[in-house]
């Protein structure tokens, strides 16, 4: 064999150099590292649903007869059912491989091409879900970061200011409830953002735990997109089903752009079955909402936690006088997995997904123990 010695790494697009691989440790490895069996892990780090899919979804996945067939590329039956669930004409709905795919698809639809057109800038409001900035960078778009306030609210006046100074159209990604704090975007703030030259992508991944979706606004607004998912409330994170509610003018472009078989048949079937099992799904949502209140109340007993109100299926606390490493060590010693964040000014936070009552007890007991032991020597 002869020929060119390729330097493949140098040929990869420059934007890719700055991206971080996303590869959380698989559960069996976590279990091995912590020395506990996998079924004893208390996994509260990814805002998953501890109750799993509804019985009907499990049953229909088990009996699914079409593994050898290609799925419906435009998910007709599922879109009809979603339309009925959210009260929006299915002509506005596109289903994706998780809402992650729809974040990417939306950005790809607007990214400027060599012949011009498109939108070059994306507004991001950190701390928030990291995938907006990730996919914007992956699509060669410029991310303009406007940090949230200490209470995690969006500084709308700063956005208005920016748009006044430079009124070119931009995409703005807003999670409501926001991840990691669980706060909702106020209606007044949304109205002010929609009045600007912005296409607002409202990410309602957790809205079932809050109520008050704006999905039904989409047909009446030109510059609003709403993203939703079956990953959280429906317990289908592993199957990857999300959907977007898009303005009619835009959705044709997205149909043309998307991969033909983006949502597999099992995923479509499970989502459809969940929508036929709404009583059970809603009962579980109610259980998680009640458990969220119990978790918040329990956490508020610890002076070293500043606990935020949440409208989602997770609760964020800022650590004060105890170090993240001490909390992580204490939790992992009990097989408890939580999500930890560090802010640019030395802030440390822990985000706890709402689990079962027994899981709440385990977390609260671990915090009580941490307090009793003085934070393991390097904290409290
Ligand atoms: C705000 C937000 N949006 C979207 C997602 C991704 O959801 P999906 O599983 O549908 O891709 C998450 C997942 O954590 C999230 O927190």
């Amino acid at each position: 064999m002869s020929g060119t010695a390729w330097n493949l790494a140098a040929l990869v697009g420059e934007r890719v150099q700055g991206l971080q691989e996303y590869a959380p440790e698989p559960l069996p490895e976590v279990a091995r590292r912590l020395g506990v069996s996998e079924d004893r892990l208390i996994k509260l780090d990814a805002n998953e649903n501890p109750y799993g899919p509804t019985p009907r979804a499990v049953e229909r996945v088990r009996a699914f007869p079409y593994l050898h067939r290609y799925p419906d590329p435009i998910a007709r039956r599922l879109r009809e059912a979603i339309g009925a669930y959210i009260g929006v004409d299915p002509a506005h709905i596109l289903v994706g491989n998780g809402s992650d795919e729809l974040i990417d698809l939306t950005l790809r639809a607007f990214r400027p091409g060599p012949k011009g057109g498109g939108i070059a800038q994306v507004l991001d409001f950190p701390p928030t879900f990291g995938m907006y900035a990730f996919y914007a960078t992956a699509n060669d778009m410029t991310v303009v970061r406007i940090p949230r306030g200490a209470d995690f609210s969006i500084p709308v006046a700063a956005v208005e200011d920016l748009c006044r100074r430079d009124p070119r159209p931009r995409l703005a990604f807003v999670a409501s409830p926001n991840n990691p704090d669980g706060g909702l975007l106020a209606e007044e703030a949304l109205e002010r953002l929609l009045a600007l030259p912005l296409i607002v992508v409202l990410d309602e991944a957790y809205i079932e735990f809050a109520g008050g979706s704006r999905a039904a606004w989409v047909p009446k607004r030109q510059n609003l997109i709403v993203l939703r998912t079956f990953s959280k409330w429906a317990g289908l994170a592993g199957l990857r089903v999300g959907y977007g509610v898009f303005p009619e003018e835009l959705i044709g472009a997205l149909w043309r752009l998307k991969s033909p078989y983006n949502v597999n048949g099992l995923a479509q079937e499970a989502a459809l079955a969940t929508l036929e099992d709404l009583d059970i799904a809603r009962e579980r949502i109610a259980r998680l909402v009640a458990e969220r209140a119990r978790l918040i109340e329990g956490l508020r007993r610890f002076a070293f936690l500043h606990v935020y109100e949440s409208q989602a299926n997770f609760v964020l606390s800022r650590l004060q006088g105890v170090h993240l490493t001490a909390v992580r060590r204490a939790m992992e010693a009990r097989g408890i997995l939580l999500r930890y964040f560090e802010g640019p000014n030395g802030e440390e936070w822990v985000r706890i997904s709402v689990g079962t009552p027994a899981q709440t007890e385990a977390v609260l007991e671990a915090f009580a123990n941490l307090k009793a032991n003085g934070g393991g020597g390097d904290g409290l």
Side-chain angles (χ1 to χ4, degrees), residues 292 295-296 299 307-308 310 314-317 350-352 354:
R292 175 179 74 203
L295 177 63
I296 290 177
L299 293 173
V307 185
Y308 294 85
S310 169
F314 50 83
V315 174
L316 185 76
S317 303
V350 57
R351 190 193 68 196
I352 307 170
V354 179

Side-chain angles (χ1 to χ4, degrees), residues 20 25 32 49 114 138 174 180 214 217-218 222 278 308:
Q20 295 272 326
E25 199 179 6
R32 214 169 305 128
N49 191 322
V174 182
R214 308 289 179 220
W217 286 24
V218 173
Q222 257 203 312
L278 277 179
Y308 294 85

Side-chain angles (χ1 to χ4, degrees), residues 46-47 97-101 103 129 132 175 177 179 203 205-206 228-232 237 240-242:
N47 307 334
N97 190 256
S99 45
D100 277 354
E101 188 200 9
I103 297 168
F129 187 48
Y132 314 137
N179 177 3
D203 181 348
Y206 302 98
R228 305 268 297 256
T229 181
F230 285 81
S231 292
K232 316 295 179 178
R240 316 301 301 126
V241 200

